[in-house]
Amino acid sequence: MKVGLFIPCYIEQCYPQVGLAMIDVLQSLGVEPVIPEKQTCCGQPMFNTGCVTETEKLAIKFYGDFKDYDYIVAPSGSCVHMVRHGYNQFFRSNPDFIRMQAATYEFCEFIHDVLNVRSIAGTFPHKVGFHKSCHGLRGLRLEPASERNLVEPSKAQSLVEQLIGIEIVTLERSDECCGFGGTFSVFEKELSIFMGQDRLRDHQQAGAEIITGYDTSCLMHMEGILKSNNLDLKTMHVAEILSEAIS
Amino acid sequence: MSSHAKEAAAFLADEERAHWHDQALWFVRQKRDTASKNVPAWEELRETAHQIKMHTLSRLPEYLEAFETKASEKGVHVHYAKTAQDHNETILKILNSHNVKRVVKSKSMLTEECGLNHFIEKKGIEIIDTDLGERIVQLLEEPPSHIVLPAIHRKKEEVGELFHKHLHTEKGASDPTYLTQAARKHLRERFLAGEAGITGVNFAVAETGGITIVTNEGNADLGNSLPPLHIASMGFDKIIPRAKDLAVFISLLARSATGQPITTYTSHLAGPRPGQEMHIIIVDNGRSEILQKEKFRKTLCCIRCGACLNTCPVYRRTGGYSYKFVIPGPLGTVLAPHKDLKKHKSLPYACTLCESCSDVCPVKVDLHQQIIEWRAEIDKQGQLGLIKKAAMWGTTYLFKHPKLYRTLGKLGRIFLRAMPARLLNAIPIWGKNRDLPEMPAKSFSALHKKKLKQGGNYGK
């Protein structure tokens, strides 16, 4: 099984520890991932701005960088949502492009759906709030969404939930948006921060020490707010928790 | 700052009110969740409703004709109106032919869309909104801020003050029951004096020629049965094929809108009562253009329940007026650009793409997908703005050149690390109250290579 890691731009530049933690966990599960050197960004910022031509250029590049892998795994729900669904308007005549899209998995989803692993042995004695980032939640269905009346599996929270000593706190709003929204966080700054503050308050009142999730971008936004306001909370990607729990 | 961002910032400046507004609507969303989860076949109902609507839209002329024939047989006068202006003039003509001076109107977003009140009032005819929320905003001389809960942005104390001024309730009284009783008394007088009733339509059944109107206050029933003249306005998207399809839509509507299993009144009208004259006006006003645009067609499935507004984390915190369009929230966001893309171009960006609207929608309108489509349309029509366009062009160039990307990333990290954090965060690049991420010394690639060299088996 040839697994290529897709390291989103903000993880490459700002959160390298998330990528390294993901490798730790995958190796513990017997997967030896490869990191394609020429990879950059999937084009999500362009796509979400409406720049289709620019997105297409990066979709071609992404295909070139990853087409030779059986699976492509990324520690980000929104980037995977981009590749799997955002690219849908391009290259429908190329079956290999479609195969590549379908072979792209979010980290927890890969563990659940491909490796078929339901629990990882480890200890993490902390109170944790789980942030269900929207693109992973509703775009990839990593978790059951609160709007729907369906029995759906939890592919991400369940992975950390069964660690020894961990307590997942109960939030008042189980899957409300944190207000990051990519360029939204820049062009609707006040609202973006207001929404982030609301989310943090929910985690705080629930007694969380750590906020985790499968999308570092949302965590980065919430981390920025909690640091600026000196809140006694920290953020960790799911991969970081799992990596620490198994070490 | 874009138009919506500016309005949003102004709304958020009153933090306490913004939180109150968010909570009030979240409460409705929670009631909706509970109600929908009491229906085991909820998701199947949504899909069925979607299919019925899409089918109807695919054979619209047939169903409209059938409806017209059946309704005419029942003694209803059926009119078609291409534009808002046509709609308003048709109504005026009917009112004038009966020499009507006082109209009672029940809730209808279509008449809001057409600006009917203003038009009628200018002609010297009194038009009273009889839905409590609508009456509140009418007295305030404000448009509705929500399509189902028109006065949701006003607190009960503000309503108390308003009623004291207009309905002479006690000063300082804000008890909802007391205020509602006062409104009821005031409206009863208007109902009895009304010479014509105007209502909206929730569903129009092609098979029977009947219409269905749902309300919680019974005001539409008084409005359509007391006066000798009843005029019902509907967009052509209100057509459904069969009477039994109502079972699907009625099951979804109130649960999605307010979390009630059913509204207090669900009235099925099969023609005028004896001695009454009844008119139905079927309005296009841009709907046929939407029908022609495949990417946006599903909007016409909408049953105006307002669930997408209640769930929208942006709408909840910025209020209806921040959208500057007759319909706010996700629905308004996808409808407004059809009317004027340039004017409403900030709306598709007033969205985090959380996709909750699409999941909550009882008829599966692909709202978030359409918001993305509008963004693409904005760029295509050169409306993105120079800064955004240049930023996207520049970053695309960077991402196409991996070496440049890594070099610039490195330089960026060195620069940001050299800057004192306090200074950096004093410049609100990413807004006040939000720090930029602390930059690591090395990138993922560099750290990974180092680990490989140290003999770790990282990524063979």
Side-chain angles (χ1 to χ4, degrees), chain A residues 126-132 157 160-161 166-174 199-212 233:
Chain A
H126 297 284
K127 289 176 99 174
V128 173
F130 200 99
H131 178 67
K132 298 173 182 170
Q157 186 176 311
V160 288
E161 215 159 25
I166 201 167
E167 185 195 329
I168 303 285
V169 300
T170 306
L171 300 170
E172 240 172 61
R173 301 189 186 182
S174 67
R199 218 70 299 282
L200 289 173
R201 213 171 290 118
D202 197 357
H203 284 273
Q204 264 191 319
Q205 61 81 25
E209 303 159 43
I210 296 162
I211 301 177
T212 192
L233 259 171

mmCIF file of all heavy atoms in Angstrom, chain A residues 126-132 157 160-161 166-174 199-212 233:
data_model
loop_
_atom_site.group_PDB
_atom_site.id
_atom_site.type_symbol
_atom_site.label_atom_id
_atom_site.label_comp_id
_atom_site.label_asym_id
_atom_site.label_seq_id
_atom_site.Cartn_x
_atom_site.Cartn_y
_atom_site.Cartn_z
ATOM 1 N N HIS A 126 -6.825 13.671 30.137
ATOM 2 C CA HIS A 126 -7.210 15.089 30.080
ATOM 3 C C HIS A 126 -8.680 15.249 29.717
ATOM 4 O O HIS A 126 -9.284 14.369 29.112
ATOM 5 C CB HIS A 126 -6.361 15.827 29.037
ATOM 6 C CG HIS A 126 -4.912 15.847 29.365
ATOM 7 N ND1 HIS A 126 -4.376 16.659 30.326
ATOM 8 C CD2 HIS A 126 -3.871 15.109 28.856
ATOM 9 C CE1 HIS A 126 -3.069 16.448 30.402
ATOM 10 N NE2 HIS A 126 -2.737 15.507 29.523
ATOM 11 N N LYS A 127 -9.196 16.456 30.061
ATOM 12 C CA LYS A 127 -10.565 16.789 29.652
ATOM 13 C C LYS A 127 -10.480 17.514 28.311
ATOM 14 O O LYS A 127 -9.824 18.557 28.205
ATOM 15 C CB LYS A 127 -11.237 17.685 30.701
ATOM 16 C CG LYS A 127 -11.562 16.942 31.985
ATOM 17 C CD LYS A 127 -12.138 17.890 33.017
ATOM 18 C CE LYS A 127 -13.670 17.765 33.018
ATOM 19 N NZ LYS A 127 -14.274 18.558 34.116
ATOM 20 N N VAL A 128 -11.125 16.936 27.336
ATOM 21 C CA VAL A 128 -10.949 17.418 25.969
ATOM 22 C C VAL A 128 -12.294 17.816 25.354
ATOM 23 O O VAL A 128 -13.288 17.106 25.487
ATOM 24 C CB VAL A 128 -10.280 16.309 25.108
ATOM 25 C CG1 VAL A 128 -10.224 16.710 23.649
ATOM 26 C CG2 VAL A 128 -8.882 15.995 25.634
ATOM 27 N N GLY A 129 -12.304 18.969 24.681
ATOM 28 C CA GLY A 129 -13.474 19.376 23.900
ATOM 29 C C GLY A 129 -13.207 19.038 22.440
ATOM 30 O O GLY A 129 -12.122 19.323 21.933
ATOM 31 N N PHE A 130 -14.169 18.397 21.800
ATOM 32 C CA PHE A 130 -13.942 17.998 20.407
ATOM 33 C C PHE A 130 -14.619 18.989 19.465
ATOM 34 O O PHE A 130 -15.839 19.152 19.500
ATOM 35 C CB PHE A 130 -14.478 16.580 20.155
ATOM 36 C CG PHE A 130 -13.859 15.956 18.928
ATOM 37 C CD1 PHE A 130 -12.799 15.071 19.046
ATOM 38 C CD2 PHE A 130 -14.316 16.291 17.657
ATOM 39 C CE1 PHE A 130 -12.209 14.518 17.915
ATOM 40 C CE2 PHE A 130 -13.720 15.752 16.530
ATOM 41 C CZ PHE A 130 -12.670 14.855 16.653
ATOM 42 N N HIS A 131 -13.821 19.639 18.641
ATOM 43 C CA HIS A 131 -14.395 20.579 17.672
ATOM 44 C C HIS A 131 -14.613 19.869 16.339
ATOM 45 O O HIS A 131 -13.673 19.441 15.687
ATOM 46 C CB HIS A 131 -13.489 21.794 17.471
ATOM 47 C CG HIS A 131 -14.045 22.740 16.453
ATOM 48 N ND1 HIS A 131 -15.213 23.446 16.682
ATOM 49 C CD2 HIS A 131 -13.654 23.055 15.201
ATOM 50 C CE1 HIS A 131 -15.495 24.174 15.604
ATOM 51 N NE2 HIS A 131 -14.566 23.960 14.689
ATOM 52 N N LYS A 132 -15.884 19.787 15.936
ATOM 53 C CA LYS A 132 -16.203 19.102 14.676
ATOM 54 C C LYS A 132 -16.229 20.130 13.553
ATOM 55 O O LYS A 132 -17.265 20.721 13.264
ATOM 56 C CB LYS A 132 -17.559 18.399 14.811
ATOM 57 C CG LYS A 132 -17.548 17.326 15.891
ATOM 58 C CD LYS A 132 -18.948 16.765 16.114
ATOM 59 C CE LYS A 132 -18.928 15.725 17.229
ATOM 60 N NZ LYS A 132 -20.274 15.336 17.642
ATOM 61 N N GLN A 157 -14.030 11.509 16.495
ATOM 62 C CA GLN A 157 -14.122 11.615 17.954
ATOM 63 C C GLN A 157 -13.962 10.246 18.612
ATOM 64 O O GLN A 157 -13.322 10.123 19.653
ATOM 65 C CB GLN A 157 -15.454 12.258 18.355
ATOM 66 C CG GLN A 157 -15.540 12.530 19.847
ATOM 67 C CD GLN A 157 -16.814 13.259 20.241
ATOM 68 O OE1 GLN A 157 -17.172 14.259 19.637
ATOM 69 N NE2 GLN A 157 -17.494 12.751 21.244
ATOM 70 N N VAL A 160 -10.365 9.183 19.598
ATOM 71 C CA VAL A 160 -9.736 9.692 20.825
ATOM 72 C C VAL A 160 -10.557 9.331 22.064
ATOM 73 O O VAL A 160 -10.012 9.188 23.158
ATOM 74 C CB VAL A 160 -9.494 11.223 20.784
ATOM 75 C CG1 VAL A 160 -8.362 11.551 19.837
ATOM 76 C CG2 VAL A 160 -10.741 11.988 20.416
ATOM 77 N N GLU A 161 -11.852 9.149 21.855
ATOM 78 C CA GLU A 161 -12.765 8.885 22.967
ATOM 79 C C GLU A 161 -12.370 7.647 23.773
ATOM 80 O O GLU A 161 -12.578 7.596 24.979
ATOM 81 C CB GLU A 161 -14.176 8.682 22.415
ATOM 82 C CG GLU A 161 -15.276 9.197 23.296
ATOM 83 C CD GLU A 161 -16.553 9.443 22.488
ATOM 84 O OE1 GLU A 161 -16.737 8.800 21.423
ATOM 85 O OE2 GLU A 161 -17.348 10.278 22.916
ATOM 86 N N ILE A 166 -9.071 9.724 29.121
ATOM 87 C CA ILE A 166 -9.587 10.917 28.451
ATOM 88 C C ILE A 166 -11.060 11.136 28.812
ATOM 89 O O ILE A 166 -11.813 10.173 29.030
ATOM 90 C CB ILE A 166 -9.419 10.823 26.909
ATOM 91 C CG1 ILE A 166 -9.473 12.223 26.274
ATOM 92 C CG2 ILE A 166 -10.467 9.900 26.287
ATOM 93 C CD1 ILE A 166 -9.003 12.260 24.838
ATOM 94 N N GLU A 167 -11.435 12.402 28.929
ATOM 95 C CA GLU A 167 -12.852 12.711 29.103
ATOM 96 C C GLU A 167 -13.244 13.719 28.031
ATOM 97 O O GLU A 167 -12.689 14.810 27.972
ATOM 98 C CB GLU A 167 -13.103 13.293 30.505
ATOM 99 C CG GLU A 167 -14.587 13.508 30.766
ATOM 100 C CD GLU A 167 -14.863 14.411 31.977
ATOM 101 O OE1 GLU A 167 -14.047 14.397 32.920
ATOM 102 O OE2 GLU A 167 -15.883 15.122 31.954
ATOM 103 N N ILE A 168 -14.179 13.327 27.166
ATOM 104 C CA ILE A 168 -14.663 14.257 26.147
ATOM 105 C C ILE A 168 -15.819 15.039 26.775
ATOM 106 O O ILE A 168 -16.821 14.444 27.169
ATOM 107 C CB ILE A 168 -15.148 13.519 24.872
ATOM 108 C CG1 ILE A 168 -14.041 12.634 24.287
ATOM 109 C CG2 ILE A 168 -15.674 14.507 23.829
ATOM 110 C CD1 ILE A 168 -12.929 13.345 23.561
ATOM 111 N N VAL A 169 -15.652 16.342 26.892
ATOM 112 C CA VAL A 169 -16.670 17.146 27.574
ATOM 113 C C VAL A 169 -17.896 17.342 26.675
ATOM 114 O O VAL A 169 -17.803 17.258 25.448
ATOM 115 C CB VAL A 169 -16.117 18.526 28.008
ATOM 116 C CG1 VAL A 169 -14.948 18.350 28.965
ATOM 117 C CG2 VAL A 169 -15.718 19.365 26.792
ATOM 118 N N THR A 170 -19.049 17.584 27.306
ATOM 119 C CA THR A 170 -20.285 17.779 26.548
ATOM 120 C C THR A 170 -20.498 19.263 26.286
ATOM 121 O O THR A 170 -20.601 20.062 27.216
ATOM 122 C CB THR A 170 -21.484 17.221 27.343
ATOM 123 O OG1 THR A 170 -21.184 15.864 27.662
ATOM 124 C CG2 THR A 170 -22.772 17.277 26.517
ATOM 125 N N LEU A 171 -20.541 19.608 25.027
ATOM 126 C CA LEU A 171 -20.710 21.004 24.648
ATOM 127 C C LEU A 171 -22.187 21.335 24.519
ATOM 128 O O LEU A 171 -23.004 20.463 24.215
ATOM 129 C CB LEU A 171 -20.008 21.271 23.310
ATOM 130 C CG LEU A 171 -18.499 20.995 23.286
ATOM 131 C CD1 LEU A 171 -17.973 21.057 21.859
ATOM 132 C CD2 LEU A 171 -17.761 21.989 24.171
ATOM 133 N N GLU A 172 -22.508 22.618 24.738
ATOM 134 C CA GLU A 172 -23.890 23.042 24.557
ATOM 135 C C GLU A 172 -24.290 22.952 23.082
ATOM 136 O O GLU A 172 -25.399 22.563 22.750
ATOM 137 C CB GLU A 172 -24.041 24.475 25.056
ATOM 138 C CG GLU A 172 -25.033 24.620 26.177
ATOM 139 C CD GLU A 172 -25.000 26.015 26.745
ATOM 140 O OE1 GLU A 172 -25.273 26.961 25.983
ATOM 141 O OE2 GLU A 172 -24.678 26.139 27.948
ATOM 142 N N ARG A 173 -23.389 23.347 22.214
ATOM 143 C CA ARG A 173 -23.652 23.248 20.771
ATOM 144 C C ARG A 173 -22.617 22.305 20.185
ATOM 145 O O ARG A 173 -21.448 22.645 20.042
ATOM 146 C CB ARG A 173 -23.559 24.625 20.126
ATOM 147 C CG ARG A 173 -24.547 25.619 20.738
ATOM 148 C CD ARG A 173 -24.598 26.905 19.955
ATOM 149 N NE ARG A 173 -25.441 27.890 20.642
ATOM 150 C CZ ARG A 173 -25.698 29.102 20.167
ATOM 151 N NH1 ARG A 173 -25.177 29.473 19.005
ATOM 152 N NH2 ARG A 173 -26.466 29.935 20.822
ATOM 153 N N SER A 174 -23.068 21.106 19.865
ATOM 154 C CA SER A 174 -22.132 20.032 19.557
ATOM 155 C C SER A 174 -21.342 20.240 18.271
ATOM 156 O O SER A 174 -20.231 19.758 18.141
ATOM 157 C CB SER A 174 -22.895 18.713 19.469
ATOM 158 O OG SER A 174 -23.765 18.755 18.346
ATOM 159 N N ARG A 199 -17.485 29.967 20.567
ATOM 160 C CA ARG A 199 -17.096 28.555 20.601
ATOM 161 C C ARG A 199 -16.208 28.263 21.814
ATOM 162 O O ARG A 199 -16.366 27.276 22.518
ATOM 163 C CB ARG A 199 -16.350 28.231 19.302
ATOM 164 C CG ARG A 199 -16.590 26.886 18.671
ATOM 165 C CD ARG A 199 -17.957 26.665 18.049
ATOM 166 N NE ARG A 199 -19.070 26.764 18.972
ATOM 167 C CZ ARG A 199 -19.440 25.821 19.826
ATOM 168 N NH1 ARG A 199 -18.794 24.687 19.887
ATOM 169 N NH2 ARG A 199 -20.469 25.987 20.622
ATOM 170 N N LEU A 200 -15.247 29.157 22.042
ATOM 171 C CA LEU A 200 -14.320 28.958 23.164
ATOM 172 C C LEU A 200 -15.066 28.975 24.492
ATOM 173 O O LEU A 200 -14.776 28.185 25.388
ATOM 174 C CB LEU A 200 -13.236 30.039 23.142
ATOM 175 C CG LEU A 200 -12.224 29.908 21.997
ATOM 176 C CD1 LEU A 200 -11.295 31.112 21.957
ATOM 177 C CD2 LEU A 200 -11.404 28.631 22.149
ATOM 178 N N ARG A 201 -16.047 29.872 24.609
ATOM 179 C CA ARG A 201 -16.837 29.955 25.834
ATOM 180 C C ARG A 201 -17.535 28.623 26.103
ATOM 181 O O ARG A 201 -17.603 28.148 27.227
ATOM 182 C CB ARG A 201 -17.866 31.081 25.699
ATOM 183 C CG ARG A 201 -18.159 31.789 27.006
ATOM 184 C CD ARG A 201 -19.001 33.036 26.807
ATOM 185 N NE ARG A 201 -18.276 34.099 26.144
ATOM 186 C CZ ARG A 201 -18.597 34.623 24.955
ATOM 187 N NH1 ARG A 201 -19.636 34.175 24.282
ATOM 188 N NH2 ARG A 201 -17.886 35.598 24.442
ATOM 189 N N ASP A 202 -18.048 28.020 25.042
ATOM 190 C CA ASP A 202 -18.737 26.735 25.171
ATOM 191 C C ASP A 202 -17.769 25.668 25.706
ATOM 192 O O ASP A 202 -18.093 24.924 26.644
ATOM 193 C CB ASP A 202 -19.317 26.327 23.797
ATOM 194 C CG ASP A 202 -20.377 25.248 23.906
ATOM 195 O OD1 ASP A 202 -20.627 24.760 25.027
ATOM 196 O OD2 ASP A 202 -20.963 24.874 22.863
ATOM 197 N N HIS A 203 -16.574 25.625 25.127
ATOM 198 C CA HIS A 203 -15.583 24.634 25.578
ATOM 199 C C HIS A 203 -15.164 24.901 27.030
ATOM 200 O O HIS A 203 -14.994 23.971 27.808
ATOM 201 C CB HIS A 203 -14.347 24.660 24.669
ATOM 202 C CG HIS A 203 -14.572 23.979 23.344
ATOM 203 N ND1 HIS A 203 -14.394 22.633 23.166
ATOM 204 C CD2 HIS A 203 -14.969 24.463 22.144
ATOM 205 C CE1 HIS A 203 -14.663 22.310 21.906
ATOM 206 N NE2 HIS A 203 -15.026 23.409 21.258
ATOM 207 N N GLN A 204 -15.047 26.187 27.348
ATOM 208 C CA GLN A 204 -14.632 26.553 28.712
ATOM 209 C C GLN A 204 -15.668 26.149 29.745
ATOM 210 O O GLN A 204 -15.341 25.549 30.757
ATOM 211 C CB GLN A 204 -14.421 28.061 28.786
ATOM 212 C CG GLN A 204 -12.983 28.476 28.595
ATOM 213 C CD GLN A 204 -12.793 29.936 28.945
ATOM 214 O OE1 GLN A 204 -13.628 30.760 28.603
ATOM 215 N NE2 GLN A 204 -11.705 30.260 29.612
ATOM 216 N N GLN A 205 -16.943 26.500 29.456
ATOM 217 C CA GLN A 205 -17.985 26.188 30.440
ATOM 218 C C GLN A 205 -18.163 24.681 30.599
ATOM 219 O O GLN A 205 -18.611 24.205 31.637
ATOM 220 C CB GLN A 205 -19.311 26.899 30.114
ATOM 221 C CG GLN A 205 -19.994 26.574 28.788
ATOM 222 C CD GLN A 205 -20.810 25.293 28.799
ATOM 223 O OE1 GLN A 205 -21.252 24.867 29.846
ATOM 224 N NE2 GLN A 205 -20.972 24.689 27.638
ATOM 225 N N ALA A 206 -17.752 23.932 29.568
ATOM 226 C CA ALA A 206 -17.855 22.476 29.664
ATOM 227 C C ALA A 206 -16.664 21.880 30.406
ATOM 228 O O ALA A 206 -16.615 20.679 30.656
ATOM 229 C CB ALA A 206 -17.962 21.872 28.267
ATOM 230 N N GLY A 207 -15.708 22.738 30.731
ATOM 231 C CA GLY A 207 -14.565 22.276 31.518
ATOM 232 C C GLY A 207 -13.412 21.683 30.730
ATOM 233 O O GLY A 207 -12.593 20.937 31.276
ATOM 234 N N ALA A 208 -13.314 22.006 29.447
ATOM 235 C CA ALA A 208 -12.233 21.443 28.630
ATOM 236 C C ALA A 208 -10.885 22.075 28.986
ATOM 237 O O ALA A 208 -10.804 23.262 29.297
ATOM 238 C CB ALA A 208 -12.532 21.668 27.157
ATOM 239 N N GLU A 209 -9.832 21.242 28.968
ATOM 240 C CA GLU A 209 -8.462 21.770 29.101
ATOM 241 C C GLU A 209 -7.878 21.944 27.712
ATOM 242 O O GLU A 209 -7.035 22.799 27.467
ATOM 243 C CB GLU A 209 -7.539 20.776 29.826
ATOM 244 C CG GLU A 209 -7.945 20.332 31.202
ATOM 245 C CD GLU A 209 -7.247 18.999 31.536
ATOM 246 O OE1 GLU A 209 -6.048 18.841 31.241
ATOM 247 O OE2 GLU A 209 -7.931 18.109 32.081
ATOM 248 N N ILE A 210 -8.316 21.070 26.817
ATOM 249 C CA ILE A 210 -7.753 21.032 25.470
ATOM 250 C C ILE A 210 -8.899 20.979 24.457
ATOM 251 O O ILE A 210 -9.888 20.274 24.675
ATOM 252 C CB ILE A 210 -6.869 19.770 25.297
ATOM 253 C CG1 ILE A 210 -5.669 19.829 26.246
ATOM 254 C CG2 ILE A 210 -6.409 19.598 23.839
ATOM 255 C CD1 ILE A 210 -5.008 18.497 26.470
ATOM 256 N N ILE A 211 -8.749 21.746 23.377
ATOM 257 C CA ILE A 211 -9.705 21.616 22.269
ATOM 258 C C ILE A 211 -8.995 20.854 21.164
ATOM 259 O O ILE A 211 -7.887 21.214 20.766
ATOM 260 C CB ILE A 211 -10.153 22.982 21.727
ATOM 261 C CG1 ILE A 211 -10.805 23.814 22.838
ATOM 262 C CG2 ILE A 211 -11.131 22.814 20.559
ATOM 263 C CD1 ILE A 211 -11.216 25.203 22.396
ATOM 264 N N THR A 212 -9.647 19.808 20.694
ATOM 265 C CA THR A 212 -9.036 19.059 19.599
ATOM 266 C C THR A 212 -9.985 19.011 18.412
ATOM 267 O O THR A 212 -11.145 19.407 18.495
ATOM 268 C CB THR A 212 -8.642 17.631 20.036
ATOM 269 O OG1 THR A 212 -7.804 17.063 19.022
ATOM 270 C CG2 THR A 212 -9.871 16.745 20.225
ATOM 271 N N LEU A 233 -6.634 27.456 28.057
ATOM 272 C CA LEU A 233 -7.065 26.371 27.172
ATOM 273 C C LEU A 233 -5.963 26.197 26.150
ATOM 274 O O LEU A 233 -5.235 27.151 25.868
ATOM 275 C CB LEU A 233 -8.315 26.810 26.403
ATOM 276 C CG LEU A 233 -9.713 26.357 26.794
ATOM 277 C CD1 LEU A 233 -10.735 27.134 25.995
ATOM 278 C CD2 LEU A 233 -9.895 24.863 26.587
#
